[in-house]
Amino acid sequence: MSGKYEVYVDRSGGYQFRLKANNGEVIATSDSYKTKVAALKGIEALKSHAKSHVVDLTEPAS
């Protein structure tokens, strides 16, 4: 089984999502969204960009 996204209502009444690994560890948490639809769109955006390459900003530019 792969990881999973969980959508939940936060303390402010907004919607957030978290990405959990297979072992249950939370590996990413979103900002708060005003609507559940917006949170679900955030998940889709994350999925579509998940294969982006890593840019290491800790190394000096060459």
Side-chain angles (χ1 to χ4, degrees), residues 31-54:
D31 290 334
S32 185
Y33 293 88
K34 291 184 180 182
T35 66
K36 184 177 177 181
V37 169
L40 293 172
K41 286 181 182 179
I43 291 170
E44 291 307 314
L46 182 61
K47 286 180 175 180
S48 71
H49 292 91
K51 295 180 182 174
S52 299
H53 58 275
V54 174

Side-chain angles (χ1 to χ4, degrees), residues 1-49:
M1 178 180 166
S2 60
K4 63 181 176 181
Y5 292 91
E6 297 178 337
V7 178
Y8 60 96
V9 177
D10 62 22
R11 286 183 261 185
S12 70
Y15 293 86
Q16 285 186 264
F17 65 85
R18 59 185 156 234
L19 174 57
K20 283 191 169 181
N22 292 345
N23 65 0
E25 179 181 357
V26 176
I27 55 176
T29 303
S30 74
D31 290 334
S32 185
Y33 293 88
K34 291 184 180 182
T35 66
K36 184 177 177 181
V37 169
L40 293 172
K41 286 181 182 179
I43 291 170
E44 291 307 314
L46 182 61
K47 286 180 175 180
S48 71
H49 292 91

